[in-house]
């Protein structure tokens, strides 16, 4: 893929990339966090959130902030089995360390572990799939991290986590939950006082939330995360994602890259490449600025 245009670079200047996967990690990555911080300085990005499916990144983010002044590197935690699942103690510690985002379970969610949805023909598979398969082959299979009871109620451990998120003013991200789970958890989050909610890549293979569900979630105050990698790797068509953004409204979307894989473009190019696509699809500069900069700063600051 070609370099992003100068116009796109300028449009996303000051943005945060709120979803990146970089080294050190348990999988090969294109760049490490220190290197990415320097690259963000060079291209005018404000910062990024370190995403891991397996460990909390809050301590590492603090190290990178100290090492590369001028870039706001933020940590996170994902509530998979390696972090103890729906573990309010882990979220409390992450919050005290300054973590910004708490992802609901991804690889260990019921939806992801039981999904039979297939990628579109020619799509690149997610890198964590091979790691999960290797762990399972060794008999390392954490329990599914449940969020709902059999009758559809949000479980009390989830509510305890939501209360911790609210107390530290962290961001709730919905991970790889299914549509019904997402709606229930978002409603519970509002009841528990969570201020900032992001619906994680709703176009991803195991989720594929219909536009009607996305519109409902936007009406509840959630932002819909549009990840560059989802259409770039062929898991959804660009036309379909663009149509959904229009249906829901750009003011309810936030752009992120989800980059860091060795076979994908440079992480620091993701938001600008996304902006070029949206410019080509007829979105205005103001709409793209809202999605890339204003909404990412609402999440990150």
């Amino acid at each position: 893929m070609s370099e992003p245009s100068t116009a796109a670079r300028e449009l996303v200047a000051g943005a945060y990339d709120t979803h990146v996967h970089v080294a050190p990690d348990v999988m090969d990555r294109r760049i490490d966090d220190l290197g990415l911080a320097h690259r963000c300085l060079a291209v005018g990005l404000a910062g990024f959130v370190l995403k891991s499916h397996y460990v909390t990144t809050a301590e590492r983010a603090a190290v990178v902030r100290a090492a590369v002044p001028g870039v706001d590197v933020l940590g996170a935690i994902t509530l998979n089995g390696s972090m103890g699942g729906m573990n309010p103690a882990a979220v409390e510690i992450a919050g005290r360390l300054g973590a910004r985002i708490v992802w609901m379970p991804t690889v260990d969610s019921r939806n992801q572990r039981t999904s039979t949805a297939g990628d579109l023909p020619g799509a690149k598979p997610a890198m964590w799939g091979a790691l999960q398969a290797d762990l399972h082959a060794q008999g390392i299979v954490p329990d599914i991290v449940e969020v709902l009871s059999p009758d559809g109620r949000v479980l009390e451990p989830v509510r305890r986590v939501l209360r911790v998120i609210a107390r530290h003013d962290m961001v709730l991200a919905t991970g790889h939950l299914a549509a019904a789970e997402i709606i229930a958890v978002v409603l519970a989050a509002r009841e528990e006082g969570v201020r900032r909610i992001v619906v994680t890549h709703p176009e991803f293979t195991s989720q594929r939330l219909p536009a009607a569900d996305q519109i409902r979630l936007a009406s509840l105050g959630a932002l819909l995360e549009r990840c560059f990698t989802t259409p770039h790797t062929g898991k959804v068509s660009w036309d379909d994602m663009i149509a959904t953004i229009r249906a829901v409204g750009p003011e309810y979307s936030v752009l992120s890259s989800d980059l860091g894989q060795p076979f994908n473009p440079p992480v620091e190019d993701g938001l600008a490449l996304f902006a070029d696509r949206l410019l080509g699809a007829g979105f205005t500069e103001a709409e793209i600025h809202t999605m890339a900069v204003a909404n990412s700063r609402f999440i990150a600051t």
Side-chain angles (χ1 to χ4, degrees):
M1 175 170 280
S2 61
E3 294 256 337
S5 69
T6 300
R9 288 273 195 218
E10 292 172 351
L11 267 181
V12 302
Y16 285 80
D17 190 339
T18 56
H19 194 151
V20 306
H21 301 268
V22 296
D25 199 358
V26 291
M27 288 164 274
D28 289 339
R29 296 302 182 192
R30 183 182 178 111
I31 193 171
D32 65 23
D33 45 17
L34 287 166
L36 180 58
H38 287 291
R39 291 300 305 141
C40 285
L41 272 179
V43 301
L45 294 177
F48 52 91
V49 178
L50 293 167
K51 166 74 177 293
S52 170
H53 292 286
Y54 300 100
V55 300
T56 183
T57 60
E59 288 179 282
R60 184 67 189 177
V63 171
V64 180
R65 285 196 304 274
V68 189
V71 177
D72 195 13
V73 181
L74 300 168
I77 185 171
T78 306
L79 298 177
N80 288 318
S82 61
M83 294 307 302
M86 200 59 58
N87 184 353
V91 177
E92 175 68 25
I93 297 303
R96 292 184 184 213
L97 288 168
R100 174 65 71 218
I101 295 181
V102 179
W103 270 277
M104 285 286 114
T106 57
V107 297
D108 292 328
S109 68
R110 174 164 293 281
N111 181 53
Q112 188 61 59
R113 292 269 286 272
T114 62
S115 175
T116 58
D119 288 335
L120 299 179
K124 290 187 176 74
M127 287 185 68
W128 48 260
L131 177 58
Q132 287 298 106
D134 184 51
L135 292 174
H136 289 197
Q138 297 178 55
I140 303 172
V141 186
D143 292 340
I144 288 174
V145 182
E146 302 284 7
V147 298
L148 301 183
S149 65
D151 61 357
R153 290 179 296 106
V154 174
L155 295 169
E156 183 56 29
V158 179
R159 287 190 175 272
R160 288 200 293 271
V161 163
L162 295 175
R163 289 194 282 271
V164 175
I165 293 171
R167 187 166 62 253
H168 289 283
D169 195 25
M170 293 188 283
V171 179
L172 168 68
T174 58
H176 292 196
L177 302 183
E181 295 173 317
I182 292 170
I183 291 168
V185 168
V186 168
L187 287 168
R190 285 302 186 206
E191 292 169 1
E192 300 294 349
V194 176
R195 189 170 70 91
R196 292 175 288 187
I197 302 171
V198 178
V199 178
T200 309
H201 49 42
E203 294 86 8
F204 188 71
T205 306
S206 59
Q207 295 164 282
R208 293 178 178 163
L209 270 63
D213 285 341
Q214 296 191 36
I215 291 168
R216 181 181 180 192
L217 288 159
S219 76
L220 296 173
L223 290 173
L224 286 300
E225 180 193 37
R226 314 299 178 182
C227 286
F228 173 80
T229 56
T230 312
H232 179 73
T233 59
K235 295 177 179 65
V236 68
S237 73
W238 279 104
D239 286 346
D240 284 349
M241 176 178 273
I242 286 165
T244 304
I245 294 173
R246 291 194 190 282
V248 179
E251 65 271 30
Y252 300 111
S253 290
V254 59
L255 307 187
S256 65
S257 75
D258 200 7
L259 285 172
Q261 306 81 10
F263 47 79
N264 276 335
V267 181
E268 69 274 12
D269 288 353
L271 294 181
L273 290 168
F274 211 154
D276 271 328
R277 280 281 188 172
L278 295 175
L279 285 169
F283 287 90
T284 67
E285 291 185 357
E287 288 172 332
I288 296 169
H289 183 273
T290 294
M291 291 186 278
V293 182
N295 287 346
S296 76
R297 295 183 75 83
F298 173 71
I299 293 169
T301 60

